[in-house]
């Protein structure tokens, strides 16, 4: 029995729409109820929010396109000023009403001009007989524009006296949008994150025709078992699934296993999935480079050249600053005299290492250190003399921005800032070479 039913739309279109938006049937059904029939006035403004990759943009585009509802779709990041945004809406309306892509330039400097030109653009009989939908994606950018833009879009139906509904898509809640002076309250709708069952169902639909659906579903189950705790982004998971499926199929292609030998298939793909998990969201190498590494390297656990952190490019003194920060984080303060002074005198070994210091400092993690200690170590490890100029201090700030160093405490400490080194020993070894 179909989940989507509405008397105003053909059953075949609704059935096709249901197949295009899996696991979002309840949200689409609620939207259809709000829209009503084509000629009826809908709610003046609708605010849809949810985390990234929860299907807001895709569902709205698919719904309006499949049911052939007149609409304008604008990304507020691309059209980042009020003038660009208003002109783009009018240009799309002009091409929609004329039925051709050729449009004349539109100049719209104020909101009053937009209302006047909007009425002219929807004067055609076709647009007057049904609701026009204006969808503003990434609508949080509207808060950076003039103060009258957001309230005007929320009550555009009243300002223009036309059958128009404005739909705002955003990743933040409505409470962060509401102006202090108040405005018309839109109808709010929340798109929840996809559950692991939803992701399994959606990703399993993309199975290659040469393999069975059960085989690909088992692969998706393994993929989600590894990545679900660190990544809920559907687009990222779809990319990972396409990228690693060839490696999962290798034992089947070579004839070493069949599609039901899940244990052999898992042992073959496990090291590659763990390696890919280190670079989720980073896109450190291209898909073609990743596939080449998988084919060229015989040892599955030794994929080389994957992490950009091992060959990061830093300025000359930034490298020495990072090495000095690592030494300051993992060496006790009392060892500085021994390691970094040429004539440090004799140090009694019995008093040098206490009982509780026999544990490896790498197991205990980095310790915070003051700025003057960092600079003292820097001066001792650099061959030539380094003046404490603004250039050195700016490079320390850059290392904090790159998250290679982290600042401990607040900036307004009386005894100066304290830092921690956040990189690994392998990273420092690569820098030191």
């Amino acid at each position: 029995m179909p989940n989507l039913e509405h008397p105003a739309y053909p059953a075949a279109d609704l059935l096709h729409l249901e197949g295009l938006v899996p696991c979002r049937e309840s949200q689409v059904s609620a939207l259809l109820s709000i829209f009503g029939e084509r000629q009826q006035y809908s709610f003046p403004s609708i605010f849809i929010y949810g985390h990234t990759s929860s299907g807001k943009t895709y569902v709205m585009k698919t719904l309006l396109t499949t049911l052939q509802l007149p609409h304008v779709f604008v990304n507020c990041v691309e059209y980042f000023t009020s003038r660009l945004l208003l002109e783009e809406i009018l240009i799309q309306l002009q091409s929609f009403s004329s039925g051709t892509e050729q449009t004349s330039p539109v100049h719209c400097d104020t909101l009053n001009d937009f209302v006047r030109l909007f009425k002219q653009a929807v004067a055609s009989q076709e647009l007057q007989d049904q609701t026009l939908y204006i969808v503003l994606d990434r609508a949080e950018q509207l808060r950076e524009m003039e103060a009258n833009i957001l309230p005007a879009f929320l009550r555009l139906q009243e300002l223009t006296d036309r059958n128009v509904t404005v739909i705002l898509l955003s990743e933040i809640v409505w409470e962060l949008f509401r102006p202090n002076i108040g405005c018309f309250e839109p109808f709010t709708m929340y798109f929840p994150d996809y559950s692991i069952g939803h992701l399994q169902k959606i990703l399993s639909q993309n199975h290659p025709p040469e393999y069975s659906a059960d085989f690909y579903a088992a692969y998706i189950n393994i993929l989600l078992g590894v990545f679900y705790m660190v990544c809920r982004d559907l687009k990222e998971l779809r990319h990972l699934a396409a990228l690693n499926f060839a490696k999962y199929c290798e034992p089947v292609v070579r004839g070493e296993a069949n599609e039901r030998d899940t244990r052999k298939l898992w042992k073959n793909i496990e090291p590659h999935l763990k390696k890919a998990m280190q670079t989720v969201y980073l896109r450190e190498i291209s898909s073609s480079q990743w596939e080449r590494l998988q084919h060229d390297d015989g040892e599955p656990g030794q994929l080389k050249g994957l992490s950009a952190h091992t060959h990061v490019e830093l300025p000359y003194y930034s490298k020495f600053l990072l090495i000095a920060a690592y030494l300051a984080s993992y060496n006790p303060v009392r060892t500085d005299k021994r390691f970094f002074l040429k004539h440090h005198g004799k140090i009694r070994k019995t008093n040098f290492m206490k009982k509780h210091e026999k544990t490896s400092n790498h197991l205990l993690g980095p310790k915070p250190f003051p700025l003057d200690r960092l600079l003292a170590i820097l001066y001792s490890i650099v061959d030539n003399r380094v003046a404490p100029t603004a250039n050195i201090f700016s490079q320390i700030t850059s290392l904090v921005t790159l998250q290679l160093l982290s600042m401990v405490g607040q900036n307004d400490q009386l005894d100066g800032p304290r830092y921690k080194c956040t990189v690994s020993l392998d990273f420092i070894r690569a820098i030191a070479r």
Side-chain angles (χ1 to χ4, degrees), residues 16 83 124 154 156:
H16 178 58
R83 178 174 179 175
S124 65
L154 293 175
L156 188 61

Side-chain angles (χ1 to χ4, degrees), residues 157-174:
Q157 188 179 104
E158 177 184 343
L159 291 174
T160 60
D161 194 25
R162 296 291 187 269
N163 188 2
V164 58
T165 295
V166 176
I167 301 173
L168 307 176
L169 306 181
S170 178
E171 296 178 6
I172 63 177
V173 296
W174 167 246

Side-chain angles (χ1 to χ4, degrees), residues 261-280:
D261 290 337
T262 53
R263 183 175 177 81
K264 287 184 179 180
L265 296 172
W266 162 248
K267 289 184 68 175
N268 182 65
I269 193 66
E270 179 187 14
H272 298 273
L273 293 183
K274 287 184 177 179
K275 196 69 177 177
M277 188 164 62
Q278 299 174 10
T279 62
V280 172

Side-chain angles (χ1 to χ4, degrees), residues 8 16 28-29 44 61 65 78 112 115 145 161 163 167 198 206 259 265 268 351 394 413 431:
H16 178 58
V28 173
S29 180
K61 278 187 175 180
T65 304
E78 298 178 18
N112 287 334
V115 172
M145 300 180 188
D161 194 25
N163 188 2
I167 301 173
H198 291 161
N206 300 327
E259 292 187 0
L265 296 172
N268 182 65
N351 296 331
S394 67
Q413 296 179 97
I431 293 292

Side-chain angles (χ1 to χ4, degrees), residues 230-247:
V230 297
C231 177
R232 309 290 174 89
D233 192 317
L234 178 60
K235 291 179 286 189
E236 187 72 24
L237 289 170
R238 184 176 280 128
H239 172 76
L240 290 168
L243 207 58
N244 295 285
F245 183 61
K247 196 67 182 179

Side-chain angles (χ1 to χ4, degrees), residues 11 24 35 96 117 133 140 185 255 299 312 323 332 335 346 358 370-371 425:
R24 282 291 179 254
F35 289 175
F96 184 84
L117 295 172
Y133 299 94
E140 56 268 14
E185 294 289 322
E299 294 294 328
V312 65
I323 295 171
T335 64
K346 292 184 179 180
K358 291 183 179 179
L371 177 61
L425 179 59

